[in-house]
Amino acid sequence: MTTSGGGAGVDAETGSEVEVDPAAHLDPGERHALQRRTIATVRLATVPGQAAVAGSVAVVSLLAGELLGSDRWAGLGGAAFTAGA
């Protein structure tokens, strides 16, 4: 059987698709601990990305204010981004 890192794999003998569980050998307690660590890692990894998006919205608003010469129009993009979120 060949796999591509978990999920679905292909049985080499039959050519049919089979489910592959890379954590099948773990007992329920170990699986729960692994899931808890994975979720914590994903949560921590999203923080810098969210900060970058928030910072870019502020910088674009300031840049638009400089280019347009009007603070009224400069805030429109940030307001639209916030409303869309």
Side-chain angles (χ1 to χ4, degrees):
M1 176 172 37
T2 59
T3 64
S4 59
V10 177
D11 190 330
E13 294 176 11
T14 64
S16 61
E17 193 170 297
V18 294
E19 284 296 317
V20 178
D21 185 2
H25 65 282
L26 298 175
D27 65 52
E30 291 174 329
R31 181 183 291 249
H32 180 70
L34 176 63
Q35 289 173 343
R36 191 174 55 244
R37 287 192 309 267
T38 302
I39 293 298
T41 302
V42 169
R43 285 181 181 166
L44 288 174
T46 60
V47 171
Q50 291 172 347
V53 168
S56 66
V57 170
V59 169
V60 167
S61 293
L62 292 172
L63 181 61
E66 287 289 321
L67 292 175
L68 297 173
S70 169
D71 290 338
R72 181 174 298 163
W73 291 107
L76 187 62
F81 179 81
T82 303

